[in-house]
Amino acid sequence: ISAYVRPETKLDFSDLPYAKGVSFQRRKQCLPGTRQGILEEITRWIDDPSPDAERLLILTGAAGTGKSTIAHTIAHRYDQIRRLASSIFADSADTVSRDKLPSLVLPTIARDLADLDANYQRRLWNSIHSSTKLKQTLDIVTQFEQFLLIPSSELAIAGPIVVVIDGVVDCNDSSHLRHLSSLLA
């Protein structure tokens, strides 16, 4: 008896926009033994399993107080245990990319999630593969629904999946950022 084996479909997300070079950098982490209190507090918050826990943390403070260093450290920690879905650091983007970064946040998160989880990858592909205009949309609500919400619905995820976004508030497109903040909240 011979069985028909369906060949694997190559899922190609190369035409889904992506913010290149903006991931966390290990060299920008906190020095060993520093900022332990805030790092432990953020880790406890991320790992809190209660269903009514807040799921959006905004770290604020004056310029130069170490917010980005803390964000790089948290991103590295969760990357080490394969719990970092995506990290986007505006200070790593060149000037041209920084202006476009707000419209690249959600597609970048979606592509990074697809790299992390094969089930999410297939669901994202099913959501967008047949529509070039959908893959290239700049409408943030459509991006959120089609790139994140629909592919992640009904996925069984155990434990926290972390997304770290840093410095995007310094980019020029403030209307896009307001929409992004409200969607994420």
Side-chain angles (χ1 to χ4, degrees), residues 45-87:
W45 171 80
I46 292 170
D47 293 340
D48 183 351
S50 60
D52 59 335
E54 292 290 326
R55 296 296 173 211
L56 178 66
L57 173 76
I58 299 175
L59 189 59
T60 61
T65 57
K67 297 177 303 294
S68 293
T69 304
I70 291 166
H72 280 279
T73 305
I74 292 295
H76 179 256
R77 280 185 179 182
Y78 283 88
D79 185 61
Q80 292 295 106
I81 58 172
R82 296 207 27 89
R83 292 288 180 184
L84 179 68
S86 187
S87 63

Side-chain angles (χ1 to χ4, degrees), residues 30-45:
C30 298
L31 294 172
T34 63
R35 296 187 175 97
Q36 292 302 306
I38 187 70
L39 292 170
E40 288 172 17
E41 185 178 336
I42 292 170
T43 300
R44 274 192 307 276
W45 171 80

Side-chain angles (χ1 to χ4, degrees), residues 158-180:
I161 301 296
V162 178
V163 174
V164 177
I165 303 171
D166 179 73
V168 178
V169 73
D170 298 328
C171 298
N172 290 337
D173 192 348
S174 61
S175 66
H176 207 82
L177 291 171
R178 280 192 299 277
H179 283 79
L180 178 62

Side-chain angles (χ1 to χ4, degrees), residues 7 68 93 108 116-117 121 124 156 159 168:
S68 293
T108 299
L116 182 67
D117 185 89
Q121 182 183 69
L124 175 61
V168 178

